[in-house]
Amino acid sequence: MNKKNRLNKKDLARKIAKHGGMKIDDAERFLDSLIEVFRQTMESDEEIILQNMGSFSITERGERLGYNPVSGEQMMFKAKRRVKFVPSGTLRIDPPAGCPELQTDID
């Protein structure tokens, strides 16, 4: 995926402002608040479900044995927590033709 196909936080705030008929500063504050609420909710192991968008939850991956690719030495990878997003049925879209990296087997 190249940079022209990415939407950064500033660009997202501009789109929210335009779509919502508000000032960019207000959209940036809204986006900052939304991100903070998501962070706090995820930290407390709560799931976020947004109708017509999807759900966000925390998954835990246990400690596991791995290998250093350079030396071949065995090493233990620490357990970690990750945010998992599952899109709703209405949000799922077909990837553009010629973008195999966007093709998924969700269903």
Side-chain angles (χ1 to χ4, degrees):
M1 182 177 282
N2 61 37
K3 285 192 175 198
K4 77 174 191 171
N5 292 334
R6 294 183 182 173
L7 183 67
N8 64 31
K9 187 176 169 185
K10 190 81 160 172
D11 294 335
L12 181 58
R14 285 188 186 118
K15 285 187 176 227
I16 290 170
K18 183 177 180 181
H19 185 74
M22 64 178 81
K23 295 178 183 177
I24 292 175
D25 289 344
D26 293 338
E28 287 175 346
R29 277 194 297 280
F30 164 77
L31 193 51
D32 287 339
S33 296
L34 181 66
I35 291 168
E36 181 59 22
V37 168
F38 267 55
R39 188 189 63 73
Q40 289 175 0
T41 303
M42 295 283 105
E43 280 182 352
S44 24
D45 285 333
E46 294 179 61
E47 185 176 9
I48 298 171
I49 301 170
L50 300 174
Q51 189 174 9
N52 297 324
M53 184 173 175
S55 62
F56 298 84
S57 60
I58 294 290
T59 61
E60 295 190 30
R61 184 173 186 171
E63 187 175 60
R64 63 189 178 89
L65 181 64
Y67 296 91
N68 180 321
V70 175
S71 67
E73 178 183 345
Q74 283 189 345
M75 53 195 301
M76 288 301 290
F77 291 101
K78 297 178 184 177
K80 51 181 141 178
R81 296 165 31 105
R82 296 285 182 203
V83 175
K84 176 182 175 183
F85 174 72
V86 178
S88 74
T90 57
L91 184 66
R92 293 181 186 164
I93 57 171
D94 292 329
C99 291
E101 70 271 13
L102 296 179
Q103 294 179 358
T104 60
D105 295 324
I106 295 173
D107 294 324

